[in-house]
Amino acid sequence: MKGVVVCLFTIFSLITYSQKQLTTEEVKAFKSKIEQGTKQMKSMKTDFNQNKHLSFMSNDVISKGKMFLNEEGFLKWEYTSPSKYSIIFKNNMVYIDDNGKKNSVNANNEVFKRINKLISGSVNGQLFNDKEFVISYFKEGNQTLAKFLPSDKGLKKYIQEVFLYFPNNETTVSKVKLIEPSGDYTEITFVNKEINAKIDPKIFTN
């Protein structure tokens, strides 16, 4: 038993050591770097890998696809595996295409607007001055982790916490983790990012 306790203490110490909270000056420098970088960003397209953890399932749900964000704020998630599915956020509407079966939802309500803003902000990093979150910053290896705690009661019903990961040599997010109040979470990793890439307007055709 003593050996187990020592082992657990060692693991906890390593986890604690690997994540160090940024100082006020470090936070200021980090935010300035990200904000300067995103000012130059007009569009972004990237591949993504998504891991969905559900407590009632023995295995996580793994998905892959592409994400597109243009300068008008239109956002598209295009899932290619394990099935074809796409979601387009455009002009206060959400357009869903489930393997050819199309549907649309009016997103012109406060909660949906906040969630859409959160998703877009997670991609381009423009969330740091959002008063609806309490934000803390940590150094974790060769990246910076920003933790967002919703302060808005409406948003808390859907999201418990959001983690954004920024590599030291980049100004856009590389990984997003959205934790639900139930403890279930979605983790999205972006790969092959292209900033200011030319995006065909047809991509956002619903």
Side-chain angles (χ1 to χ4, degrees):
M1 178 60 73
K2 184 179 179 181
V4 172
V5 171
V6 171
C7 182
L8 289 174
F9 179 78
T10 303
I11 292 171
F12 179 76
S13 298
L14 288 171
I15 292 172
T16 304
Y17 178 77
S18 66
Q19 195 176 95
K20 182 181 178 183
Q21 190 158 10
L22 298 189
T23 64
T24 302
E25 286 303 312
E26 287 173 329
V27 169
K28 186 178 179 181
F30 168 72
K31 290 172 64 176
S32 177
K33 183 184 78 170
I34 299 301
E35 287 168 3
Q36 287 300 315
T38 53
K39 277 181 182 178
Q40 309 301 320
M41 191 178 85
K42 294 183 178 180
S43 66
M44 176 178 171
K45 67 178 180 180
T46 178
D47 298 326
F48 69 85
N49 300 314
Q50 178 177 299
N51 182 58
K52 177 70 176 178
H53 176 80
L54 300 168
S55 57
F56 60 87
M57 296 183 67
S58 55
N59 295 314
D60 292 351
V61 180
I62 308 298
S63 305
K64 293 184 178 183
K66 296 180 179 292
M67 189 281 299
F68 305 87
L69 177 69
N70 72 1
E71 58 186 324
E72 296 177 78
F74 298 170
L75 177 67
K76 181 176 183 177
W77 296 89
E78 186 178 281
Y79 291 83
T80 56
S81 173
S83 59
K84 291 186 176 181
Y85 186 91
S86 70
I87 307 173
I88 299 173
F89 295 85
K90 181 176 70 172
N91 297 331
N92 291 324
M93 292 291 294
V94 179
Y95 300 94
I96 301 167
D97 186 340
D98 186 357
N99 201 22
K101 192 175 181 179
K102 297 185 177 182
N103 192 17
S104 61
V105 179
N106 192 317
N108 195 23
N109 67 70
E110 286 305 312
V111 172
F112 217 121
K113 280 182 180 178
R114 288 167 184 165
I115 293 175
N116 186 23
K117 181 181 176 183
L118 172 62
I119 295 171
S120 298
S122 297
V123 173
N124 58 29
Q126 296 177 355
L127 279 177
F128 299 122
N129 296 316
D130 197 321
K131 303 301 181 183
E132 293 175 347
F133 295 94
V134 176
I135 312 171
S136 52
Y137 302 85
F138 300 85
K139 196 72 175 173
E140 191 175 275
N142 61 350
Q143 60 187 350
T144 298
L145 165 61
K147 293 184 179 182
F148 292 74
L149 280 172
S151 54
D152 177 79
K153 290 182 179 180
L155 204 53
K156 281 182 178 180
K157 293 179 182 179
Y158 303 93
I159 299 169
Q160 176 178 299
E161 196 168 12
V162 181
F163 295 171
L164 303 186
Y165 296 84
F166 293 84
N168 290 344
N169 60 343
E170 298 181 28
T171 57
T172 56
V173 68
S174 64
K175 185 168 68 175
V176 179
K177 185 173 183 179
L178 295 96
I179 305 171
E180 301 169 21
S182 64
D184 292 340
Y185 63 84
T186 301
E187 190 172 84
I188 302 172
T189 304
F190 300 109
V191 293
N192 305 321
K193 287 185 289 184
E194 295 183 51
I195 308 301
N196 294 331
K198 188 175 180 179
I199 300 177
D200 189 338
K202 292 180 181 178
I203 290 289
F204 301 99
T205 301
N206 46 287

